[in-house]
Amino acid sequence: MKKIIVRGGSPLNGDVYISGMKNAALPIIFACILSKGKNILYNVPRVSDIELSFDILRSLGATVSERADGGIELDTAGVRSEVAPYELVSKMRGSTYLIGAMLSRFGEARVGLPGGCNFGDRPIDQHVKGFATLGAQISFDEGSLRADAGDGLVGNSVYLDIASVGATVNIIIAAVFAKGTTVVMNAAREPHIVDLANFLNHCGADIRGAGTNTIKIHGVSELHPCEYSISPDMIEAGTFMVAAATAGGCVNVKNIIPEHLDTITAKLREAGAKLEVFDDSITVTSDRWLRGVTIKTWPYPGFATDMHPQFSAMLCYANGVSTIGEGIFDGRFKYVDELKKMGASIDVDGNVASIIGGMPLHGASVSATDLRAGAALVIAALAAQGTTEIGGVEFIERGYCNIDKKLRALGADIYAVEV
Ligand code: EPU
């Protein structure tokens, strides 16, 4: 078992290079099933959720290998229409993308229902509605979902009741070979949706409108494999930006698409950090004198729910009262009890956290309750007085590549240790 040990109080200075976006890489990796051959992916983040997705594909007959140039070669020619082991798919939310991918390639899918970070009920009714609207017969038995497309899926209009990232991804993947045109209305607009559509279009798909709330997929008869570089991870970038604002210092966050971070940039400026935005980097300078802000999480281009816990940690150090309203996941507040062990003053009423900030936090023994909660604890610990021991490191490793090494290179006193 690992712990992360942080001795707080060191400012952060220097350059940090952001990895590829986990939530774009996952759908792209599963979508490789459609192109039946050797795809080469670059800028793939080597986090545990991605390694798990490789294991799932291997279990179905794909080969995954690392190239000398750092790319990942994913050969999906040998993928079989089989059921992936439940112990693999149940560990990760992104494995739902297997349903769309298998349905698309084989006309049938049987997939165990997914796990992932636990912040409340995470239904997949909108995914199911999409598959059914394209003509699939859906049934559930023994914890798995069965989808059968008979003579093939047929394009249709799907209105999503919620602009769900996962449902948008799954319907796009399922509709690539559907006869005619599929229209997804109230689609999610996140950059990972655009990345998926770009990848599939490179492979020969005909997808238009990704990044807007209406996406049209004109069915094609086949795809070919391609080379593709995954976009940088806006949540990893945002996490380092918030870490710099909280710990103080001057950090250049590099290899990013600054437009993806507009809301994060705006809120950090409102809180008093100084930001300079360049073509593919943002410099954050902070003297640690921050003020409280009001935040409401919302689907992109709104404020990302995946940045909520990290901002909460920062706002514990900001003068005044801040509020964070959670608009996506009801159960996103589990990190609050852990921050309270470090002296935070946070009240949660329904889906709103009120944070009374401005008093220093102190080191404590705490545990990550999910991926972004873990990032929040690391940020809180960087500026805390004394030493913090963070458990639940396996959650953090699901989505951050070497967070300890990257922060140590910026001057933090942080080590991941086996205990
Ligand atoms: N929802 C439904 N029905 C559905 C699908 C979603 O009611 O069929 C609800 C969910 O319960 C939630 C809301 O709609 O309240 C949004 O869920 P969405 O489907 O957009 O989220 P997701 O696809 O399950 C992805 C990311 C999450 C990120 C959310 C929101 C992946 C693998 N996961 O989850 O990332 O928080 O979008 O942006 O892409 C993370 O990286 O830490 C993470 C949790």
Side-chain angles (χ1 to χ4, degrees), residues 310-333:
Q310 302 90 314
F311 263 77
S312 252
M314 178 187 85
L315 293 170
C316 291
Y317 294 95
N319 292 307
V321 179
S322 298
T323 60
I324 302 191
E326 174 56 46
I328 310 289
F329 291 114
D330 289 342
R332 189 120 228 188
F333 294 95

Side-chain angles (χ1 to χ4, degrees), residues 168 172 187-195 197-198 207-215 300-301:
T168 305
I172 290 176
R189 297 164 61 184
E190 270 74 358
H192 9 305
I193 304 289
V194 178
D195 226 19
N198 285 342
I207 301 166
R208 302 176 195 194
T212 74
N213 50 20
T214 303
I215 301 177
Y300 190 86

Side-chain angles (χ1 to χ4, degrees), residues 171-298:
I171 297 166
I172 290 176
I173 295 177
V176 164
F177 300 132
K179 290 184 200 84
T181 299
T182 300
V183 182
V184 187
M185 290 173 286
N186 195 27
R189 297 164 61 184
E190 270 74 358
H192 9 305
I193 304 289
V194 178
D195 226 19
L196 169 69
N198 285 342
F199 165 75
L200 285 167
N201 285 341
H202 267 69
C203 295
D206 186 352
I207 301 166
R208 302 176 195 194
T212 74
N213 50 20
T214 303
I215 301 177
K216 290 188 180 161
I217 305 116
H218 302 286
V220 296
S221 53
E222 60 176 7
L223 295 189
H224 51 78
C226 79
E227 289 191 16
Y228 191 77
S229 183
I230 311 278
S231 291
D233 195 316
M234 62 185 205
I235 303 299
E236 189 197 15
T239 301
F240 277 94
M241 287 161 68
V242 174
T246 310
C250 178
V251 172
N252 305 311
V253 182
K254 296 195 153 185
N255 183 36
I256 59 171
I257 299 175
E259 292 73 21
H260 292 171
L261 289 147
D262 281 350
T263 49
I264 311 300
T265 301
K267 283 295 165 189
L268 283 174
R269 281 188 172 136
E270 249 181 65
K274 292 184 181 46
L275 281 88
E276 272 188 279
V277 178
F278 302 98
D279 285 349
D280 60 359
S281 66
I282 296 179
T283 300
V284 181
T285 310
S286 164
D287 57 10
R288 297 191 58 184
W289 283 100
L290 300 172
R291 51 184 172 266
V293 294
T294 299
I295 289 172
K296 166 90 182 164
T297 71
W298 214 241

